[in-house]
Each structure stands twice: as C-alpha cells, then as structure tokens.
Amino acid sequence: MAAVTLNTLNKRKTAGEKFAVITAYDSTQARLADQAGLECVLVGDSLGNVVQGQKTTVPVSLDEMAYHTQCVARGVRDAFIISDLPFMSYATSEQALASAASLMQAGANAVKLEGGAWLADTVDALVTRGIPVCGHLGLTPQSVNKLGGYRVQGREQSAARRLLEDAMELQEAGADLLVLEMVPAALAGEITQAVRIPVIGIGAGNQTDAQVLVFYDLLGMTDRSPSFVKNFLQSSVQQALADYAAQVRKGEFPHPEHTPA
C-alpha cells in the first residue's frame, strides 16, 4: 500500500469507497495495523481508559500524547496518523498551535479536537499554518462530565440540527476530516452526505465514509465494551484487523445491533 494522505482519503470519499481506522498506542499495535492495510491510525486519548486505567480521558496530558504518538509513528510505514489533542490543550488558538506543533513533531499527520462551531477560529488558525485537522462531534469524551455520561447525542431534532450546523462550520473553517461518535445512523448519514470531507463513524451506523474502533475493543480485550463494538478476533490479531477493514469497506460493519436507535 502506498503512503496514505489526505488526498487518498478524499478520493475514497468521492469514489464511495469506505476506509478503516483503528486506535493504536504503541509501535507494535501500529505496525500490525499498518501491515494489515488499514488506512488510518488514531493515537487516541482513549489511552487514558485502556492503557492507564483512568475512568475518563480527562487526565491524559499533552506530553503523554506526544510520547504515544512517537511510539506509533515508529511502527507505521504507510498509514495516515491522527493524534488527539487532549483535554484543555486547545482552550485558545495560541495554545492549540503550540499543542498541535508538539504532536506533529512527534509524528502525527493530523490532529483531532473535540467540539463544534466554537472551534472554528482555532481550526482556521491550525490549517492556515499547515496543520491538518480532524473534528469530533456527537459524544465528545473530554466533555463527559458536562454531558452526564456516555450517551447517544443528536436524538432530538434541535440537537440533530446543531450537530449538522457544527459539521458545516468545522468544514468551512478548514477541517479536513470529521469523527461522529454515538449519533443515530440516519443523522450520521445526513451529515456525511452534507459535507465534502471524509466522515469517520464510531457507534454511528454504516453510512459514514469510514469506521474507527479502539484496538482493545476490536480484539475483545476490555471488560466492558460499548454496544457498537464487535470482537473481530478469529485466528490472529493481524487477521482480525484485516477482517475488520474488509467489512468496513464492503459496508458490512457496523450491523444494526452495533448502531444506536
């Protein structure tokens, strides 16, 4: 597989070809995902949950994200690396620029931040300076204390309309990619059709351009997995990753049982 770029992902969206994303936190996970042909690796602040044993992603620091991004970058040859800006590392545009610089210098190809239209100026500041940005809407884990738990977002008409507006605002500000987490499948499909940029879903049905799962969830290595997770482990970790990618590209995953009502 040739090195994956934003152009690669945009061409996939235009052609209606789905692509697969997986979280990874170290060089071995990244190497396995890369060798299995997954297009993107996300260095997620979910490492707070699955690596550090934290209850939320809030305690994860920028230094920790940079460290894990370095580890992942050493294991990747072709995949596109997206790295999470952690909690309160992008409260202002100036802070976001400094934080993003740390992750890009650690090996990221793009940075991801959580939030809607209020981030438009920050997104613009980043992309103007050559830093690709992935937005994140729906359930935003860094805001779990404000949201009152890990709940499906956008069920009410007003909330759905706000998510669509936020997606459009982020796109117009220059965002290159968008993650939709735990939103109804119909809404995720509507947003995916409305925006030009590739949309990556998690717990958002199979109408998005791509899917992302946490490495440990995909392999059944967590005590409690969300309803949208499928255990892909059959004969080997690498085969599980390849099977997951194949089912995403064919539109076979997620199934209705992995999709919030």
Side-chain angles (χ1 to χ4, degrees):
M1 182 175 72
V4 176
T5 67
L6 286 175
N7 286 338
T8 308
L9 304 181
N10 285 320
K11 288 179 181 177
R12 290 288 180 89
K13 180 180 178 77
T14 301
E17 298 173 354
K18 295 179 181 289
F19 60 91
V21 186
I22 188 70
T23 66
Y25 314 101
D26 60 43
S27 62
T28 299
Q29 292 175 345
R31 175 179 55 79
L32 289 170
D34 193 73
Q35 290 175 347
L38 276 75
E39 288 83 358
C40 298
V41 172
L42 169 64
V43 188
D45 59 1
S46 50
L47 68 88
N49 306 113
V50 296
V51 176
Q52 298 175 341
Q54 307 277 9
K55 292 183 179 180
T56 72
T57 63
V58 171
V60 177
S61 71
L62 180 63
D63 285 344
E64 290 168 338
M65 288 304 305
Y67 167 76
H68 285 276
T69 299
Q70 288 176 333
C71 293
V72 165
R74 295 185 188 112
V76 165
R77 185 185 65 178
D78 296 321
F80 188 82
I81 302 173
I82 306 167
S83 189
D84 273 342
L85 288 168
F87 179 70
M88 289 301 290
S89 68
Y90 51 98
T92 66
S93 294
E94 292 75 15
Q95 186 183 23
L97 289 169
S99 299
S102 296
L103 298 186
M104 297 294 287
Q105 290 169 344
N109 300 122
V111 298
K112 182 167 74 66
L113 34 67
E114 299 180 4
W118 66 272
L119 281 170
D121 289 343
T122 297
V123 172
D124 178 71
L126 291 167
V127 299
T128 298
R129 291 160 177 81
I131 301 173
V133 173
C134 178
H136 187 148
L137 296 172
L139 173 66
T140 47
Q142 292 176 14
S143 303
V144 65
N145 293 303
K146 178 67 174 178
L147 296 174
Y150 297 95
R151 301 175 179 178
V152 176
Q153 303 295 307
R155 280 180 168 151
E156 299 80 12
Q157 185 175 0
S158 60
R161 183 172 61 253
R162 186 165 58 250
L163 283 175
L164 177 57
E165 292 172 351
D166 282 341
M168 299 303 294
E169 288 272 2
L170 291 175
Q171 174 182 261
E172 293 311 308
D176 301 281
L177 301 162
L178 178 65
V179 168
L180 292 178
E181 181 169 359
M182 287 189 70
V183 302
L187 174 60
E190 181 182 359
I191 293 173
T192 301
Q193 291 298 315
V195 299
R196 301 181 302 273
I197 58 178
V199 177
I200 302 165
I202 177 167
N206 66 357
Q207 298 180 52
T208 54
D209 301 305
Q211 298 291 326
V212 61
L213 283 180
V214 170
F215 194 98
Y216 295 92
D217 287 340
L218 181 149
L219 300 179
M221 297 170 65
T222 49
D223 292 335
R224 294 182 180 180
S225 293
S227 60
F228 56 77
V229 168
K230 177 178 179 178
N231 182 351
F232 283 84
L233 184 60
Q234 297 297 324
S235 59
S236 69
V237 171
Q238 191 165 347
Q239 185 61 50
L241 290 165
D243 290 345
Y244 159 63
Q247 290 189 31
V248 168
R249 291 169 187 144
K250 293 176 182 178
E252 297 175 353
F253 174 81
H255 298 282
E257 62 265 31
H258 308 123
T259 304

